[in-house]
């Protein structure tokens, strides 16, 4: 189906940053509102996003189609890649292997999360204003909470390590020193984003998310 062409690899790499990486960061900032400001602040941010012009087109062409290509091509790369960690256990080889593993976990997690949230809204099973309540039901289940934490950490690692690779492959970090500094920068980003995401997930367990608040918009 795919050829391991220069164009395919570059497109896959680029889409992992724009727009997929931006979407991950936006998702983090939106969910962090649940921790920082509670249910009302979270819903206000959700409303702001959904009130953007041409939101459906933005979702389809700016998020889901690029994400689909990145995911499907990434699965192809993971399937065809020659991982030799057992023979060459140096740091970057380990990162190469983990990038493939977390890519598969992230794909499954995003599909599951999409089905439980955005897809349920599309089907009319969950009202848009009840998305916080839906997340409360998910996060309050201990098994779901652990699985979400695994999915979150995998997604953030895949993004952070992918950014390191992106900067190398696009000729931005050239040379061992620049790449070493980049390693520490993206480890820091990975830790920060993981903590913020898990704090946000923990916020949804709060009883205030059990019911939909009365919101006065405008």
């Amino acid at each position: 189906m795919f050829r391991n062409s220069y164009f395919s690899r570059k497109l896959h790499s680029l889409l992992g940053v724009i727009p997929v990486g931006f979407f991950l960061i936006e998702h983090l900032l939106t969910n962090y509102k649940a921790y920082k400001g509670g249910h009302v602040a979270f819903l206000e941010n959700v409303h702001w996003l959904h009130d953007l012009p041409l939101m459906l087109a933005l979702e389809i062409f700016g998020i889901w189609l690029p994400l689909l290509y990145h995911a499907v091509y990434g699965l192809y790369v993971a399937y065809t890649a020659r991982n030799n960690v057992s023979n060459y256990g140096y740091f970057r080889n380990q990162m190469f292997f983990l990038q493939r593993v977390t890519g598969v976990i992230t794909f499954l997690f995003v599909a599951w999360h999409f089905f439980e949230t955005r897809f349920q809204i599309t089907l009319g099973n969950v009202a848009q204003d009840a998305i916080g309540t839906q997340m409360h039901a998910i996060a309050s289940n201990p098994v779901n909470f652990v699985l979400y934490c695994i999915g979150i950490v995998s997604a953030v690692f895949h993004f952070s390590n992918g950014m390191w690779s992106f900067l190398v492959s696009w000729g931005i970090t050239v040379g061992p020193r620049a790449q070493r500094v980049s390693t520490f920068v993206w480890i820091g980003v990975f830790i920060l984003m993981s903590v913020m995401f898990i704090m946000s997930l923990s916020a949804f367990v709060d009883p205030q998310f059990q019911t939909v608040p009365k919101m006065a918009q405008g």
Side-chain angles (χ1 to χ4, degrees):
M1 179 179 179
F2 291 107
R3 292 185 180 274
N4 194 23
S5 68
Y6 176 85
F7 174 77
S8 297
R9 294 196 307 271
K10 285 296 185 181
L11 181 61
H12 173 260
S13 175
L14 183 62
L15 291 179
V17 179
I18 307 169
V20 175
F22 285 173
F23 172 65
L24 180 68
I25 294 172
E26 176 278 314
H27 214 58
L28 168 61
L29 296 177
T30 298
N31 287 341
Y32 192 68
K33 287 287 186 179
Y35 174 81
K36 189 79 172 177
H39 203 165
V40 172
F42 170 71
L43 283 183
E44 285 175 347
N45 213 61
V46 169
H47 277 291
W48 179 83
L49 287 170
H50 285 272
D51 288 342
L52 291 174
L54 303 174
M55 186 57 195
L56 181 59
L58 285 173
E59 280 191 315
I60 294 173
F61 297 104
I63 299 173
W64 301 119
L65 288 180
L67 180 59
L68 182 63
Y69 176 87
H70 184 80
V72 173
Y73 186 79
L75 289 174
Y76 166 76
V77 171
Y79 178 75
T80 58
R82 295 180 178 179
N83 298 311
N84 54 0
V85 173
S86 59
N87 296 326
Y88 304 99
Y90 52 89
F91 179 72
R92 270 299 142 201
N93 209 348
Q94 296 284 351
M95 294 299 101
F96 176 86
F97 174 71
L98 288 174
Q99 185 72 0
R100 302 308 179 251
V101 172
T102 55
V104 174
I105 295 173
T106 300
F107 174 77
L108 297 174
F109 171 65
V110 170
W112 176 39
H113 179 57
F114 173 80
F115 176 79
E116 288 195 314
T117 54
R118 189 69 182 90
F119 191 60
Q120 296 305 314
I121 293 174
T122 302
L123 292 178
N125 296 333
V126 175
Q128 182 175 297
D129 282 353
I131 188 61
T133 306
Q134 177 75 349
M135 282 303 303
H136 173 79
I138 294 169
S140 297
N141 182 306
V143 175
N144 285 345
F145 189 91
V146 171
L147 292 176
Y148 260 64
C149 285
I150 294 171
I152 287 167
V153 172
S154 296
V156 175
F157 177 90
H158 192 75
F159 165 71
S160 302
N161 190 58
M163 281 299 306
W164 184 92
S165 300
F166 172 84
L167 294 175
V168 172
S169 64
W170 287 78
I172 298 171
T173 50
V174 180
R177 184 177 184 279
Q179 292 171 14
R180 186 167 57 252
V181 171
S182 181
T183 295
F184 288 114
V185 168
W186 291 108
I187 287 175
V189 170
F190 165 68
I191 294 172
L192 177 63
M193 290 183 67
S194 295
V195 169
M196 289 178 66
F197 260 125
I198 293 174
M199 289 170 67
S200 303
L201 181 64
S202 301
F204 287 115
V205 180
D206 193 290
Q208 67 172 296
F209 287 92
Q210 288 179 343
T211 57
V212 178
K214 294 180 180 180
M215 296 178 58
Q217 300 185 53

